[in-house]
Amino acid sequence: MGRWFVNRLTLIAFIATSFGIGLGLALAIFLKVSVSAALPVLLVSSATAVALMALSFLLLFEPIQRLTNALKKGEEPSSLLLQELGALGEAIAATWTVWKQTVAELREERALLQAILKRMDEAIIAAQENGNVILVNPAAQKLFRLPNDYSQRRLTELNLPFELMELAQNALKRKLPQMVEIHILHPEERFIDAYATPLIVNGQLEGILLVARDLTDLKRIDKVRRDFVANVSHELRTPIATLRSLAEALLMGGKDDPEVRENFLQAIADETARMGKLIDNLLELTRIESGQKEWRFQEVSVAEIVAQVVERFKLAASQKGLTVKTEIAEKLKVRTDPDALAQVLFNLVDNAVKYTPKGEITVKAEKIEAGDYSQVVISVTDTGVGIPTEHLPRIFERFYRVDKARSRQIGGFGLGLSIAKHIAESLGGKITVQSELGKGSTFSIWLPYP
C-alpha cells in the first residue's frame, strides 16, 4: 500500500510540473509575457496543486489501510470507516451486505446437506473425474470401514470392493448410470445394492457419485421367513401324515381289534397334542413379537421364581442322575413380570436337563454394577453336550436346531429359545449364551435392577 502511494504521488507531481511548465511557455508565446515572469507563477500553482493532491491522497491512504487490514482479518468494516471513504465506502458496504447474505445462504445449504447425508442409511461417496474424493457420509464410512481423512485420498485408495470400483469406471466410461448387486464374503458376508451415476455439469463430466445400500439384514430376514415357512410345513407334515395313516388303519379294520384300536387312538391323541403345542408356541411367539402380549410388572424375589421352576424339574433331573443347584441371595429382587420370567427360566432349565447326560445344572443370580446402571443376571449353567461355535449366532432363531434328529427325538420344535429371547427383550433385558462343545453351556438373562 505504501509503495502504491509513493508511485502515485510521484506520477502526480511529474504531471503537475510538466503541465505548469507547458502552460508557462504557452503564456509566454501567445500572451507576449516573458518566460521569466510566467514560469514562477505557474510553478507555484503547480506546486500548490501537487501539495493539495498529495494531501488528499494522504487523507485517503489511512482509511484505505484500515479497510485493507479489516478485510484481511475477515472483519466487517465499521460504518465510520465507510463514511470516511465516501462513495467508495458506500459501494463496499453494499458489496459486503451481499457477500454476507451469500455466505450465510451457502452455510445453511451446507449444514442442511451435511445433516441429510448424516442421517441417510444409504452410503454416499462422491469423487472428481480424476479420482479425488470430495464427499463421504457416515453410512459409507461404517459400511466400507473408511478412514476419517478421506479428503486427501483418491477413490482407489479407499479399499472399496472391486465390483464397486468396476461399477464406477463403467459409469464414467459410458457416461450413464449403472447398477449392480454385490456379494461380499470377507471380512463378513454382506449383500450390497450399488448405484453409480456420472456427475455432468453443463455437458462436462465433473465426477462420479456412488450410492450403496446394505441389503444384508433384508436378505437375512427373507431367509428366516422362507426357513420359517419350510419348518412349519415340515413340522405339520409329519403329524398330519401320521394321523392320516392311523385313521386309514382304523378304517381298514383296526377298529375291530380292541388292543390295536386303543394303541392307535393313543397315538392319535399324542400327535394331536404335539400339533396343539406347536400351534400354541407359534401363537405365543406372534403375540410377543407384535406387542399384543400384556406384561404385569412388579417387584419379585428372584430366589422364589427360581425355586418354583427348579422344583418342576427335580424328578426329571433325578431320573437322569443330575444334580440341580441354586446360588441366589434371598434378598435379590427384580422388577419384571413373574410369569414371563418363570417361562424363560423354564425353557432354559428344560433344555439344560434334556441336553445334559450327566453332571450338574447350576442356576445362579447376582447383581452387577455398571456405573449408574445396575442389572440382575440370572444364569443357567450345565455340563452337557455344549453347542458348536458356528451354531451360536443362530441359536435363538425360530425352528433352529443344532442336532435336528436329537431334537425331534426328545420332542423339541426349536422354538423355546426364540420365545425366551423375545420375552427377555420385551421385559427390557436380553439373553446371551456361552458354550463349548462337550463341556456345557451357560445361558444368561440380563434384566434391569429395580
Side-chain angles (χ1 to χ4, degrees):
M1 189 69 186
R3 180 178 296 177
W4 174 86
F5 175 74
V6 172
N7 293 339
R8 184 58 58 89
L9 185 61
T10 302
L11 180 62
I12 291 172
F14 175 76
I15 293 173
T17 304
S18 300
F19 179 76
I21 295 174
L23 185 60
L25 292 175
L27 289 175
I29 295 173
F30 293 104
L31 298 179
K32 307 301 183 181
V33 179
S34 64
V35 175
S36 59
L39 281 179
V41 175
L42 294 176
L43 286 175
V44 171
S45 63
S46 299
T48 302
V50 170
L52 291 175
M53 295 180 69
L55 181 61
S56 65
F57 271 96
L58 184 61
L59 294 175
L60 186 62
F61 172 75
E62 196 273 334
I64 291 178
Q65 185 66 42
R66 283 189 287 137
L67 175 65
T68 303
N69 293 335
L71 294 177
K72 284 182 178 179
K73 297 178 181 178
E75 299 175 354
E76 182 178 2
S78 65
S79 57
L80 181 61
L81 173 60
L82 295 177
Q83 290 177 2
E84 293 180 24
L85 295 173
L88 176 60
E90 293 178 1
I92 292 174
T95 304
W96 183 270
T97 301
V98 174
W99 180 80
K100 282 199 306 181
Q101 184 178 356
T102 303
V103 170
E105 291 175 354
L106 290 175
R107 286 177 177 173
E108 290 179 2
E109 291 178 1
R110 181 179 179 84
L112 179 61
L113 176 62
Q114 290 178 342
I116 293 173
L117 291 174
K118 185 176 181 180
R119 287 162 176 78
M120 288 183 66
D121 294 331
E122 290 80 6
I124 306 293
I125 301 176
Q128 296 175 334
E129 185 185 6
N130 60 8
N132 291 334
V133 180
I134 56 177
L135 186 148
V136 172
N137 73 336
Q141 289 182 293
K142 181 180 178 181
L143 179 60
F144 299 114
R145 301 178 181 179
L146 303 181
N148 293 325
D149 57 338
Y150 63 84
S151 59
Q152 302 299 324
R153 296 173 180 261
R154 298 178 65 83
L155 198 61
T156 53
E157 298 175 6
L158 298 183
N159 295 323
L160 296 173
F162 171 77
E163 295 86 351
L164 191 63
M165 293 299 302
E166 187 177 35
L167 183 72
Q169 292 175 359
N170 289 337
L172 287 173
K173 182 179 179 180
R174 301 174 185 177
K175 295 184 179 180
L176 292 172
Q178 306 290 318
M179 295 182 65
V180 70
E181 184 174 306
I182 302 173
H183 184 195
I184 301 175
L185 296 176
H186 300 287
E188 58 181 331
E189 186 178 30
R190 285 190 174 277
F191 296 89
I192 297 175
D193 183 25
Y195 173 83
T197 183
L199 300 176
I200 300 177
V201 181
N202 297 327
Q204 183 69 28
L205 181 63
E206 297 292 341
I208 186 72
L209 177 67
L210 296 174
V211 181
R213 186 162 59 102
D214 192 352
L215 301 178
T216 307
D217 290 339
L218 292 176
K219 293 281 188 180
R220 186 178 295 116
I221 291 173
D222 184 61
K223 184 178 184 304
V224 170
R225 179 187 59 80
R226 286 186 278 107
D227 290 346
F228 174 74
V229 173
N231 287 324
V232 170
S233 301
H234 181 77
E235 292 294 341
L236 291 176
R237 184 184 299 115
T238 301
I240 289 175
T242 302
L243 290 173
R244 178 184 298 170
S245 299
L246 293 171
E248 290 176 351
L250 288 172
L251 291 173
M252 293 175 64
K255 63 180 182 300
D256 298 328
D257 187 333
E259 184 177 353
V260 172
R261 181 173 65 244
E262 184 177 353
N263 291 336
F264 279 17
L265 290 175
Q266 183 60 51
I268 291 174
D270 293 341
E271 291 298 330
T272 304
R274 176 178 171 82
M275 291 178 62
K277 183 179 179 181
L278 172 61
I279 293 173
D280 289 341
N281 286 339
L282 290 174
L283 291 175
E284 178 74 6
L285 190 57
T286 301
R287 282 195 295 268
I288 296 171
E289 289 182 331
S290 62
Q292 297 177 0
K293 181 80 172 179
E294 294 184 0
W295 309 105
R296 298 181 298 105
F297 283 88
Q298 55 186 287
E299 193 170 292
V300 298
S301 169
V302 176
E304 291 181 4
I305 298 293
V306 171
Q308 294 172 8
V309 174
V310 170
E311 183 64 28
R312 299 174 63 180
F313 290 95
K314 275 190 175 181
L315 178 60
S318 62
Q319 289 177 347
K320 295 184 65 174
L322 301 176
T323 302
V324 181
K325 300 190 305 182
T326 59
E327 299 177 7
I328 304 169
E330 291 293 334
K331 296 183 179 180
L332 184 60
K333 295 183 181 297
V334 66
R335 183 170 178 78
T336 187
D337 186 310
D339 294 334
L341 178 57
Q343 184 177 356
V344 174
L345 289 172
F346 181 89
N347 287 336
L348 298 183
V349 177
D350 183 36
N351 282 343
V353 173
K354 287 179 179 177
Y355 295 101
T356 305
K358 60 180 180 178
E360 63 181 24
I361 299 170
T362 304
V363 183
K364 181 181 178 181
E366 59 183 335
K367 177 185 175 184
I368 295 180
E369 301 285 353
D372 298 333
Y373 185 69
S374 301
Q375 288 181 301
V376 172
V377 183
I378 308 172
S379 302
V380 178
T381 303
D382 62 61
T383 57
V385 296
I387 304 171
T389 304
E390 64 270 18
H391 292 280
L392 291 176
R394 301 188 61 189
I395 198 66
F396 294 105
E397 291 181 10
R398 291 174 292 187
F399 291 108
Y400 189 82
R401 299 185 181 94
V402 176
D403 187 344
K404 296 183 179 180
R406 182 179 176 87
S407 296
R408 290 197 182 94
Q409 184 180 359
I410 62 179
F413 294 107
L415 291 173
L417 289 179
S418 181
I419 292 174
K421 172 181 176 291
H422 284 86
I423 291 177
E425 292 176 350
S426 298
L427 296 177
K430 64 179 180 179
I431 185 169
T432 59
V433 59
Q434 293 178 323
S435 184
E436 187 175 350
L437 188 62
K439 294 186 178 181
S441 307
T442 297
F443 286 85
S444 301
I445 312 164
W446 302 68
L447 296 173
Y449 185 72

